[in-house]
Amino acid sequence: MGTLVLATAVMVGGALAQSSPSERRKVDADTVAGSPARGGDFARRECAGCHTVRGDSVSPKAGAPTFEEIAGRYVQTRLDWELEAITQVGHYSMPAKAMSKADIADVTAYIRSLKR
């Protein structure tokens, strides 16, 4: 059994090594399913000071993308990974923002629900 697991890990690892970083980041599915409703609540409470979290209007903070713009930007990449990075180091001019794994899943689901 251990040999089979090791052989599978080597095959999978080899396949990943041959793929480019952008291919590994493409979206098949985000890591955890979340609740768009809870994500919207979180966004209105924690993100709306800088970002427009619903609608096409300009964000309150100059240069901050709206959540609909974010949804469009991250159609082909792992948004949950970006949100996880934001919890640790921030993003561009955005400071780090404390988010649990459940918050990340919920906000990801909410932003995905805005995709046109």
Side-chain angles (χ1 to χ4, degrees):
M1 181 79 168
T3 304
L4 178 59
V5 171
L6 179 59
T8 302
V10 168
M11 289 177 10
V12 169
L16 285 175
Q18 293 175 8
S19 63
S20 71
S22 63
E23 288 173 328
R24 289 192 300 264
R25 295 186 65 196
K26 291 209 182 205
V27 171
D28 287 325
D30 294 301
T31 54
V32 179
S35 162
R38 283 192 312 260
D41 290 344
F42 182 94
R44 283 184 289 282
R45 186 177 64 249
E46 300 292 331
C47 308
C50 295
H51 298 273
T52 295
V53 298
R54 186 70 180 149
D56 290 327
S57 63
V58 176
S59 289
K61 182 175 180 180
T66 68
F67 271 35
E68 287 186 357
E69 290 170 333
I70 294 167
R73 288 181 191 174
Y74 288 90
V75 169
Q76 297 296 320
T77 57
R78 296 287 303 268
L79 178 58
D80 57 336
W81 289 353
E82 294 297 324
L83 293 173
E84 187 173 325
I86 288 168
T87 68
Q88 298 169 14
V89 296
H91 191 67
Y92 299 108
S93 65
M94 184 177 152
K97 177 66 125 178
M99 297 174 75
S100 69
K101 289 191 181 292
D103 293 335
I104 291 169
D106 293 342
V107 171
T108 297
Y110 175 69
I111 292 172
R112 294 269 184 241
S113 76
L114 301 175
K115 187 173 69 174
R116 296 180 196 176

